[in-house]
């Protein structure tokens, strides 16, 4: 066999030990919230027919799809997002789905984007959508789930900027912008986050809007008041237990995607300045456009990597360094005692490593420290005679001779 | 946007609702056991340099690798197993890993195999390995973890066939088989599971062994006794809490892969006749062969799909049909009450769906029944006046007016 220089592909990541545990921790938290709202998990294959994905995300995005010909001559492609596969599911299984279909999906997607800080070619998406309902309550549930995830991980500073895409479109049209220019205008307005008002007005003018009208448009947006439907959705989300001050009416919030048709929102963690941590909204025509099945829908995508990074910065993630709670050391003469003791700990649900080699105690302590294991359990002459074990706290260096049941009691409390 | 006929690629699967939950349930059980033994999670990218994988699994397997040229002109390939990526990890991160490296990995792999019943092109592997230790205790831990997974999901009928590959090789060589023919002979012996003794002897003869010697070999294997090292490994696994009768000494167990160097094993669930549910053993040279780093190792791969299927057949998997424990119905006049009640249930960890539309109660009951939701909660005139909720059990059709706290108590007990 040939020997290959070990290397990870650019834009791809390995997750070892603590990093993998942190990701798992966040995924489990998100999953618990989704399930609590009665949403069903969905998993779709990594590969789809390429034709399902091409042309669905725009010409630029087509270039970022990982597509190839498989050995059977089929053009296939790696999952690019979770919305298009879900649209396929809705079409393919529509006779067996009970509508509205409330599903969540937490899977990796692949994009051949230029890798840069915080942008990877393989990354995790967390989506929740309600498909087949045009009830405002569905919008409220979507807002409530999204907010609940952040409240669940104790990021109570979460702000959700909300707007009504329909109202935005009406305001834009009322300024005299032509039907064809509406989405172009929305994309420019969407930059108000990153650019000054003057720069945005300049861009609107460069796109053909009269300067006066551009000013007027921005002013009208800035002084807009919530539409009745948006107000009602927010009220419902508050009744669903979300503090009212989580929601911030943002009449200039535009969202970059063209398919939104109603309520739109974006999550912001003020202390985390890299950017929004996800967003979504109502998209009543998209499923029909994608797979020819008429289905109103509302949902969101949560930025998993950014949320993880923010939670990390805010100190909300437990320290997952330790591979185990106890390292059980084994003296060859008393091997059977030590193995039985380890089995007892594990049976009680206490994560326990066994030191596998016959090495001096200082080597074993070094191993425990390197792996973040806080305690060592030792059974030698004295312990066997007294039917006890020695437990050493590696931080305080305190040692005590106790019964194994006492170790279980101590460890279960940690 | 174009409309595409919805279709899943051959050999790939969608997992909706209950199916996805069952898979998650089993994965969580497996994960808990791995963590209890102090093993660390590892996640490697879906894509690797194709050169890392090619030539590592044999010429036949090379044809099954999903490889392609990415947009940057690199030859890349989808993960084919978890051993080769782990070997890469060991080589790439060897300066930061504390040895022995005890890692588990639960990820999908892709093989362009001909799809057939029970064989998919995308399927999940569950591996645990101890890398960097030649201690017998490491072998015992691996056996104990593997067995513990089945005990954890209450498949106490699990049998683990064990053998010593070194002893097998010695026996084969002693029959006069040449060094070059040893692995070929092992592969033939490996078929004793599926073929009769006579057929295997015939195949040995066809491969050049004299008939008498073939007979002699099979007889010697059948009457073999456990090697000292295998005996000691089993004893240790028993001390680690595994019932002794789980282990079955199988002197003809061969395992099809060439890289094993010591203890080998295979898991069998007697009631499940499709085939083995995984296996493994010691492979002290493989990592060196793969990435040029000298590392003794022992581990296993657990057959996730088969284990799930067996657990299902044996009735060990909870019924995951229900999307939620309660369906909260909403009368428009009392919407605020209903939403607040739903929020209370969810806060108490009770999975609750809200019925989103304004439809008659029989439609709502139909929805609950279709989604397996066992109870409906209703708030109307009477309930608001008395500050109660109505809870209806859809199976018994029993209704009662209770306080929301009582609903929480009832539901928490289920």
């Amino acid at each position: 066999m040939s020997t290959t220089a070990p290397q990870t592909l650019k834009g791809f990541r390995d997750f070892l030990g603590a990093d993998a545990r942190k990701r798992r921790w966040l995924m489990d938290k998100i999953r618990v919230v989704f399930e609590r709202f009665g949403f069903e998990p969905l998993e779709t294959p990594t590969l789809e027919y390429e034709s399902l994905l091409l042309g669905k995300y725009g010409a630029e995005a087509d270039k970022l799809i990982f597509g190839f010909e498989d050995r059977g001559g089929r053009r296939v492609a790696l999952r690019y997002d979770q919305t298009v596969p879900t649209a396929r599911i809705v079409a393919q299984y529509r006779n067996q789905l009970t509508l509205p279909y409330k599903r969540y999906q937490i899977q990796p997607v692949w994009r051949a984007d230029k890798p840069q800080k915080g942008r990877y070619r393989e990354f995790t998406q967390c989506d929740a959508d309600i498909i087949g309902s045009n009830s405002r309550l569905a919008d409220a549930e979507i807002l409530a789930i999204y907010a609940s995830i952040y409240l669940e991980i104790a990021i109570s500073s979460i702000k959700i900027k909300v707007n009504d895409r329909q109202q935005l479109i009406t305001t834009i049209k009322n300024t005299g912008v032509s039907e064809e220019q509406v989405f172009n205008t929305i994309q420019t307005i969407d930059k108000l986050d990153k650019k000054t008002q003057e720069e945005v007005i300049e861009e609107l003018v460069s796109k053909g809007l009269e300067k006066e009208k551009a000013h007027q448009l921005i002013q009208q947006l800035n002084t807009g008041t919530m539409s009745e439907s948006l107000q009602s959705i927010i009220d419902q989300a508050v009744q669903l237990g979300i503090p009212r001050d989580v929601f911030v009416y943002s009449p200039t919030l535009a969202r970059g995607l063209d398919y939104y048709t109603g309520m739109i929102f974006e999550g912001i963690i003020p202390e985390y300045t890299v950017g929004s941590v996800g967003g979504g909204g109502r998209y009543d025509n998209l499923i029909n456009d994608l797979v020819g099945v008429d289905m109103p829908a509302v949902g969101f995508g949560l930025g998993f990597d950014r949320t993880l990074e923010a939670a990390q910065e805010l100190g909300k993630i437990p320290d997952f360094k330790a591979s185990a709670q106890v390292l059980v050391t084994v003296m060859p003469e008393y091997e059977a005692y030590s193995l039985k003791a380890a089995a007892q700990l594990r049976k009680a649900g206490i994560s326990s490593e066994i030191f596998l080699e016959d090495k001096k105690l200082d080597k074993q302590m070094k191993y425990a420290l390197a792996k973040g294991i806080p305690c060592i359990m030792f059974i030698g002459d004295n312990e066997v005679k007294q039917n006890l074990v020695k437990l050493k706290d590696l931080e305080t260096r305190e040692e005590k001779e106790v019964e194994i049941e006492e170790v279980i009691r101590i460890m279960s409390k940690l």
Side-chain angles (χ1 to χ4, degrees), chain A residues 147-173:
Chain A
S148 295
I149 288 169
Y150 291 91
L151 301 177
E152 183 78 15
I153 57 175
I155 301 187
S156 54
S157 60
I158 181 74
K159 295 289 169 208
I160 300 179
K161 293 162 78 172
V162 287
N163 197 13
D164 182 333
R165 174 65 81 87
Q166 213 45 66
Q167 190 184 18
L168 182 66
I169 291 172
T170 305
T171 308
I172 290 171
K173 281 189 184 163

PDB file of all heavy atoms in Angstrom, chain A residues 147-173:
ATOM      1  N   ALA A 147     -36.254  31.589  18.430  1.00  0.00           N
ATOM      2  CA  ALA A 147     -35.858  32.281  19.662  1.00  0.00           C
ATOM      3  C   ALA A 147     -35.581  31.285  20.784  1.00  0.00           C
ATOM      4  O   ALA A 147     -34.619  31.432  21.547  1.00  0.00           O
ATOM      5  CB  ALA A 147     -36.970  33.252  20.079  1.00  0.00           C
ATOM      6  N   SER A 148     -36.399  30.236  20.879  1.00  0.00           N
ATOM      7  CA  SER A 148     -36.264  29.258  21.971  1.00  0.00           C
ATOM      8  C   SER A 148     -34.911  28.558  21.951  1.00  0.00           C
ATOM      9  O   SER A 148     -34.387  28.181  23.002  1.00  0.00           O
ATOM     10  CB  SER A 148     -37.379  28.210  21.889  1.00  0.00           C
ATOM     11  OG  SER A 148     -38.629  28.815  22.099  1.00  0.00           O
ATOM     12  N   ILE A 149     -34.364  28.371  20.762  1.00  0.00           N
ATOM     13  CA  ILE A 149     -33.046  27.721  20.676  1.00  0.00           C
ATOM     14  C   ILE A 149     -32.013  28.572  21.406  1.00  0.00           C
ATOM     15  O   ILE A 149     -31.220  28.061  22.197  1.00  0.00           O
ATOM     16  CB  ILE A 149     -32.653  27.503  19.199  1.00  0.00           C
ATOM     17  CG1 ILE A 149     -33.523  26.391  18.613  1.00  0.00           C
ATOM     18  CG2 ILE A 149     -31.170  27.168  19.073  1.00  0.00           C
ATOM     19  CD1 ILE A 149     -33.425  26.237  17.115  1.00  0.00           C
ATOM     20  N   TYR A 150     -32.049  29.870  21.182  1.00  0.00           N
ATOM     21  CA  TYR A 150     -31.065  30.741  21.828  1.00  0.00           C
ATOM     22  C   TYR A 150     -31.335  30.866  23.328  1.00  0.00           C
ATOM     23  O   TYR A 150     -30.404  30.904  24.131  1.00  0.00           O
ATOM     24  CB  TYR A 150     -31.003  32.106  21.124  1.00  0.00           C
ATOM     25  CG  TYR A 150     -30.400  31.935  19.751  1.00  0.00           C
ATOM     26  CD1 TYR A 150     -31.204  31.684  18.639  1.00  0.00           C
ATOM     27  CD2 TYR A 150     -29.025  31.893  19.582  1.00  0.00           C
ATOM     28  CE1 TYR A 150     -30.651  31.437  17.392  1.00  0.00           C
ATOM     29  CE2 TYR A 150     -28.457  31.654  18.345  1.00  0.00           C
ATOM     30  CZ  TYR A 150     -29.275  31.409  17.257  1.00  0.00           C
ATOM     31  OH  TYR A 150     -28.717  31.153  16.040  1.00  0.00           O
ATOM     32  N   LEU A 151     -32.602  30.887  23.698  1.00  0.00           N
ATOM     33  CA  LEU A 151     -32.927  30.930  25.120  1.00  0.00           C
ATOM     34  C   LEU A 151     -32.492  29.623  25.788  1.00  0.00           C
ATOM     35  O   LEU A 151     -32.003  29.626  26.914  1.00  0.00           O
ATOM     36  CB  LEU A 151     -34.426  31.192  25.317  1.00  0.00           C
ATOM     37  CG  LEU A 151     -34.920  32.511  24.679  1.00  0.00           C
ATOM     38  CD1 LEU A 151     -36.424  32.670  24.858  1.00  0.00           C
ATOM     39  CD2 LEU A 151     -34.175  33.722  25.250  1.00  0.00           C
ATOM     40  N   GLU A 152     -32.626  28.499  25.071  1.00  0.00           N
ATOM     41  CA  GLU A 152     -32.226  27.186  25.589  1.00  0.00           C
ATOM     42  C   GLU A 152     -30.730  27.143  25.903  1.00  0.00           C
ATOM     43  O   GLU A 152     -30.323  26.487  26.860  1.00  0.00           O
ATOM     44  CB  GLU A 152     -32.573  26.108  24.551  1.00  0.00           C
ATOM     45  CG  GLU A 152     -32.285  24.673  24.960  1.00  0.00           C
ATOM     46  CD  GLU A 152     -33.328  24.107  25.912  1.00  0.00           C
ATOM     47  OE1 GLU A 152     -34.406  24.711  26.039  1.00  0.00           O
ATOM     48  OE2 GLU A 152     -33.033  23.058  26.532  1.00  0.00           O
ATOM     49  N   ILE A 153     -29.925  27.834  25.101  1.00  0.00           N
ATOM     50  CA  ILE A 153     -28.484  27.831  25.374  1.00  0.00           C
ATOM     51  C   ILE A 153     -28.060  29.106  26.104  1.00  0.00           C
ATOM     52  O   ILE A 153     -26.890  29.481  26.107  1.00  0.00           O
ATOM     53  CB  ILE A 153     -27.646  27.626  24.086  1.00  0.00           C
ATOM     54  CG1 ILE A 153     -27.965  28.689  23.034  1.00  0.00           C
ATOM     55  CG2 ILE A 153     -27.888  26.231  23.502  1.00  0.00           C
ATOM     56  CD1 ILE A 153     -27.074  28.608  21.796  1.00  0.00           C
ATOM     57  N   ALA A 154     -29.054  29.738  26.740  1.00  0.00           N
ATOM     58  CA  ALA A 154     -28.809  30.871  27.647  1.00  0.00           C
ATOM     59  C   ALA A 154     -28.208  32.088  26.957  1.00  0.00           C
ATOM     60  O   ALA A 154     -27.510  32.882  27.571  1.00  0.00           O
ATOM     61  CB  ALA A 154     -27.945  30.421  28.827  1.00  0.00           C
ATOM     62  N   ILE A 155     -28.473  32.233  25.667  1.00  0.00           N
ATOM     63  CA  ILE A 155     -28.092  33.478  24.985  1.00  0.00           C
ATOM     64  C   ILE A 155     -29.338  34.361  24.965  1.00  0.00           C
ATOM     65  O   ILE A 155     -30.050  34.451  23.973  1.00  0.00           O
ATOM     66  CB  ILE A 155     -27.541  33.214  23.565  1.00  0.00           C
ATOM     67  CG1 ILE A 155     -26.306  32.305  23.649  1.00  0.00           C
ATOM     68  CG2 ILE A 155     -27.199  34.524  22.868  1.00  0.00           C
ATOM     69  CD1 ILE A 155     -25.569  32.098  22.336  1.00  0.00           C
ATOM     70  N   SER A 156     -29.575  35.025  26.117  1.00  0.00           N
ATOM     71  CA  SER A 156     -30.822  35.773  26.264  1.00  0.00           C
ATOM     72  C   SER A 156     -30.737  37.123  25.576  1.00  0.00           C
ATOM     73  O   SER A 156     -31.728  37.833  25.466  1.00  0.00           O
ATOM     74  CB  SER A 156     -31.175  35.933  27.743  1.00  0.00           C
ATOM     75  OG  SER A 156     -30.071  36.497  28.412  1.00  0.00           O
ATOM     76  N   SER A 157     -29.554  37.472  25.093  1.00  0.00           N
ATOM     77  CA  SER A 157     -29.410  38.758  24.394  1.00  0.00           C
ATOM     78  C   SER A 157     -29.869  38.659  22.936  1.00  0.00           C
ATOM     79  O   SER A 157     -29.850  39.657  22.226  1.00  0.00           O
ATOM     80  CB  SER A 157     -27.946  39.199  24.436  1.00  0.00           C
ATOM     81  OG  SER A 157     -27.124  38.237  23.794  1.00  0.00           O
ATOM     82  N   ILE A 158     -30.280  37.475  22.506  1.00  0.00           N
ATOM     83  CA  ILE A 158     -30.696  37.290  21.107  1.00  0.00           C
ATOM     84  C   ILE A 158     -31.735  38.340  20.689  1.00  0.00           C
ATOM     85  O   ILE A 158     -32.682  38.629  21.440  1.00  0.00           O
ATOM     86  CB  ILE A 158     -31.274  35.863  20.874  1.00  0.00           C
ATOM     87  CG1 ILE A 158     -31.687  35.635  19.412  1.00  0.00           C
ATOM     88  CG2 ILE A 158     -32.457  35.574  21.801  1.00  0.00           C
ATOM     89  CD1 ILE A 158     -30.546  35.444  18.465  1.00  0.00           C
ATOM     90  N   LYS A 159     -31.521  38.933  19.539  1.00  0.00           N
ATOM     91  CA  LYS A 159     -32.505  39.860  18.958  1.00  0.00           C
ATOM     92  C   LYS A 159     -32.943  39.297  17.606  1.00  0.00           C
ATOM     93  O   LYS A 159     -32.108  38.786  16.844  1.00  0.00           O
ATOM     94  CB  LYS A 159     -31.881  41.246  18.720  1.00  0.00           C
ATOM     95  CG  LYS A 159     -31.468  41.969  19.985  1.00  0.00           C
ATOM     96  CD  LYS A 159     -32.677  42.435  20.779  1.00  0.00           C
ATOM     97  CE  LYS A 159     -32.233  42.918  22.163  1.00  0.00           C
ATOM     98  NZ  LYS A 159     -33.298  42.750  23.170  1.00  0.00           N
ATOM     99  N   ILE A 160     -34.221  39.410  17.354  1.00  0.00           N
ATOM    100  CA  ILE A 160     -34.731  38.953  16.065  1.00  0.00           C
ATOM    101  C   ILE A 160     -35.322  40.149  15.328  1.00  0.00           C
ATOM    102  O   ILE A 160     -36.339  40.706  15.743  1.00  0.00           O
ATOM    103  CB  ILE A 160     -35.790  37.839  16.255  1.00  0.00           C
ATOM    104  CG1 ILE A 160     -35.157  36.644  16.986  1.00  0.00           C
ATOM    105  CG2 ILE A 160     -36.359  37.411  14.905  1.00  0.00           C
ATOM    106  CD1 ILE A 160     -36.110  35.494  17.239  1.00  0.00           C
ATOM    107  N   LYS A 161     -34.627  40.546  14.269  1.00  0.00           N
ATOM    108  CA  LYS A 161     -35.133  41.643  13.437  1.00  0.00           C
ATOM    109  C   LYS A 161     -36.244  41.081  12.554  1.00  0.00           C
ATOM    110  O   LYS A 161     -36.048  40.035  11.911  1.00  0.00           O
ATOM    111  CB  LYS A 161     -34.009  42.207  12.577  1.00  0.00           C
ATOM    112  CG  LYS A 161     -32.931  42.917  13.406  1.00  0.00           C
ATOM    113  CD  LYS A 161     -31.632  43.078  12.631  1.00  0.00           C
ATOM    114  CE  LYS A 161     -31.723  44.223  11.642  1.00  0.00           C
ATOM    115  NZ  LYS A 161     -30.368  44.480  11.043  1.00  0.00           N
ATOM    116  N   VAL A 162     -37.388  41.756  12.538  1.00  0.00           N
ATOM    117  CA  VAL A 162     -38.509  41.261  11.739  1.00  0.00           C
ATOM    118  C   VAL A 162     -39.007  42.335  10.783  1.00  0.00           C
ATOM    119  O   VAL A 162     -38.918  43.533  11.063  1.00  0.00           O
ATOM    120  CB  VAL A 162     -39.711  40.810  12.627  1.00  0.00           C
ATOM    121  CG1 VAL A 162     -39.404  39.506  13.342  1.00  0.00           C
ATOM    122  CG2 VAL A 162     -40.094  41.902  13.609  1.00  0.00           C
ATOM    123  N   ASN A 163     -39.521  41.890   9.658  1.00  0.00           N
ATOM    124  CA  ASN A 163     -40.131  42.804   8.703  1.00  0.00           C
ATOM    125  C   ASN A 163     -41.141  42.019   7.871  1.00  0.00           C
ATOM    126  O   ASN A 163     -41.231  40.796   7.970  1.00  0.00           O
ATOM    127  CB  ASN A 163     -39.058  43.445   7.813  1.00  0.00           C
ATOM    128  CG  ASN A 163     -39.572  44.689   7.095  1.00  0.00           C
ATOM    129  OD1 ASN A 163     -40.640  45.217   7.421  1.00  0.00           O
ATOM    130  ND2 ASN A 163     -38.816  45.157   6.113  1.00  0.00           N
ATOM    131  N   ASP A 164     -41.898  42.763   7.074  1.00  0.00           N
ATOM    132  CA  ASP A 164     -42.911  42.150   6.209  1.00  0.00           C
ATOM    133  C   ASP A 164     -42.487  42.390   4.768  1.00  0.00           C
ATOM    134  O   ASP A 164     -42.490  43.527   4.292  1.00  0.00           O
ATOM    135  CB  ASP A 164     -44.276  42.795   6.524  1.00  0.00           C
ATOM    136  CG  ASP A 164     -45.405  42.190   5.695  1.00  0.00           C
ATOM    137  OD1 ASP A 164     -45.139  41.694   4.577  1.00  0.00           O
ATOM    138  OD2 ASP A 164     -46.562  42.237   6.166  1.00  0.00           O
ATOM    139  N   ARG A 165     -42.089  41.319   4.089  1.00  0.00           N
ATOM    140  CA  ARG A 165     -41.584  41.466   2.724  1.00  0.00           C
ATOM    141  C   ARG A 165     -42.659  42.047   1.807  1.00  0.00           C
ATOM    142  O   ARG A 165     -42.357  42.842   0.901  1.00  0.00           O
ATOM    143  CB  ARG A 165     -41.094  40.110   2.214  1.00  0.00           C
ATOM    144  CG  ARG A 165     -40.668  40.034   0.752  1.00  0.00           C
ATOM    145  CD  ARG A 165     -39.447  40.867   0.388  1.00  0.00           C
ATOM    146  NE  ARG A 165     -38.174  40.260   0.705  1.00  0.00           N
ATOM    147  CZ  ARG A 165     -37.495  39.425  -0.079  1.00  0.00           C
ATOM    148  NH1 ARG A 165     -38.008  39.053  -1.239  1.00  0.00           N
ATOM    149  NH2 ARG A 165     -36.314  38.956   0.286  1.00  0.00           N
ATOM    150  N   GLN A 166     -43.915  41.696   2.039  1.00  0.00           N
ATOM    151  CA  GLN A 166     -44.999  42.187   1.206  1.00  0.00           C
ATOM    152  C   GLN A 166     -45.120  43.703   1.324  1.00  0.00           C
ATOM    153  O   GLN A 166     -45.261  44.406   0.329  1.00  0.00           O
ATOM    154  CB  GLN A 166     -46.309  41.507   1.640  1.00  0.00           C
ATOM    155  CG  GLN A 166     -47.277  41.278   0.521  1.00  0.00           C
ATOM    156  CD  GLN A 166     -46.603  40.697  -0.720  1.00  0.00           C
ATOM    157  OE1 GLN A 166     -46.118  39.580  -0.694  1.00  0.00           O
ATOM    158  NE2 GLN A 166     -46.528  41.468  -1.801  1.00  0.00           N
ATOM    159  N   GLN A 167     -45.032  44.163   2.580  1.00  0.00           N
ATOM    160  CA  GLN A 167     -45.099  45.600   2.841  1.00  0.00           C
ATOM    161  C   GLN A 167     -43.916  46.314   2.193  1.00  0.00           C
ATOM    162  O   GLN A 167     -44.062  47.386   1.597  1.00  0.00           O
ATOM    163  CB  GLN A 167     -45.070  45.803   4.367  1.00  0.00           C
ATOM    164  CG  GLN A 167     -45.370  47.217   4.817  1.00  0.00           C
ATOM    165  CD  GLN A 167     -45.238  47.359   6.340  1.00  0.00           C
ATOM    166  OE1 GLN A 167     -44.611  46.511   6.996  1.00  0.00           O
ATOM    167  NE2 GLN A 167     -45.811  48.413   6.897  1.00  0.00           N
ATOM    168  N   LEU A 168     -42.749  45.682   2.291  1.00  0.00           N
ATOM    169  CA  LEU A 168     -41.540  46.250   1.687  1.00  0.00           C
ATOM    170  C   LEU A 168     -41.726  46.402   0.178  1.00  0.00           C
ATOM    171  O   LEU A 168     -41.425  47.456  -0.398  1.00  0.00           O
ATOM    172  CB  LEU A 168     -40.356  45.328   1.992  1.00  0.00           C
ATOM    173  CG  LEU A 168     -38.970  45.746   1.491  1.00  0.00           C
ATOM    174  CD1 LEU A 168     -38.491  47.015   2.181  1.00  0.00           C
ATOM    175  CD2 LEU A 168     -37.962  44.618   1.701  1.00  0.00           C
ATOM    176  N   ILE A 169     -42.263  45.367  -0.443  1.00  0.00           N
ATOM    177  CA  ILE A 169     -42.477  45.400  -1.891  1.00  0.00           C
ATOM    178  C   ILE A 169     -43.468  46.510  -2.261  1.00  0.00           C
ATOM    179  O   ILE A 169     -43.245  47.280  -3.207  1.00  0.00           O
ATOM    180  CB  ILE A 169     -42.985  44.025  -2.393  1.00  0.00           C
ATOM    181  CG1 ILE A 169     -41.853  42.993  -2.276  1.00  0.00           C
ATOM    182  CG2 ILE A 169     -43.505  44.097  -3.829  1.00  0.00           C
ATOM    183  CD1 ILE A 169     -42.268  41.559  -2.567  1.00  0.00           C
ATOM    184  N   THR A 170     -44.547  46.614  -1.470  1.00  0.00           N
ATOM    185  CA  THR A 170     -45.543  47.652  -1.733  1.00  0.00           C
ATOM    186  C   THR A 170     -44.907  49.037  -1.642  1.00  0.00           C
ATOM    187  O   THR A 170     -45.100  49.893  -2.519  1.00  0.00           O
ATOM    188  CB  THR A 170     -46.706  47.529  -0.718  1.00  0.00           C
ATOM    189  OG1 THR A 170     -47.214  46.201  -0.789  1.00  0.00           O
ATOM    190  CG2 THR A 170     -47.822  48.521  -1.022  1.00  0.00           C
ATOM    191  N   THR A 171     -44.125  49.257  -0.584  1.00  0.00           N
ATOM    192  CA  THR A 171     -43.464  50.555  -0.422  1.00  0.00           C
ATOM    193  C   THR A 171     -42.556  50.847  -1.608  1.00  0.00           C
ATOM    194  O   THR A 171     -42.538  51.959  -2.146  1.00  0.00           O
ATOM    195  CB  THR A 171     -42.622  50.560   0.887  1.00  0.00           C
ATOM    196  OG1 THR A 171     -43.454  50.131   1.961  1.00  0.00           O
ATOM    197  CG2 THR A 171     -42.086  51.958   1.180  1.00  0.00           C
ATOM    198  N   ILE A 172     -41.800  49.843  -2.038  1.00  0.00           N
ATOM    199  CA  ILE A 172     -40.883  50.025  -3.170  1.00  0.00           C
ATOM    200  C   ILE A 172     -41.672  50.355  -4.439  1.00  0.00           C
ATOM    201  O   ILE A 172     -41.349  51.300  -5.165  1.00  0.00           O
ATOM    202  CB  ILE A 172     -40.020  48.756  -3.378  1.00  0.00           C
ATOM    203  CG1 ILE A 172     -39.020  48.606  -2.226  1.00  0.00           C
ATOM    204  CG2 ILE A 172     -39.271  48.816  -4.713  1.00  0.00           C
ATOM    205  CD1 ILE A 172     -38.266  47.294  -2.214  1.00  0.00           C
ATOM    206  N   LYS A 173     -42.731  49.600  -4.687  1.00  0.00           N
ATOM    207  CA  LYS A 173     -43.539  49.846  -5.883  1.00  0.00           C
ATOM    208  C   LYS A 173     -44.172  51.234  -5.851  1.00  0.00           C
ATOM    209  O   LYS A 173     -44.248  51.920  -6.877  1.00  0.00           O
ATOM    210  CB  LYS A 173     -44.633  48.780  -6.010  1.00  0.00           C
ATOM    211  CG  LYS A 173     -44.112  47.457  -6.565  1.00  0.00           C
ATOM    212  CD  LYS A 173     -45.292  46.530  -6.861  1.00  0.00           C
ATOM    213  CE  LYS A 173     -44.843  45.170  -7.334  1.00  0.00           C
ATOM    214  NZ  LYS A 173     -45.933  44.184  -7.220  1.00  0.00           N
TER     215      LYS A 173
END
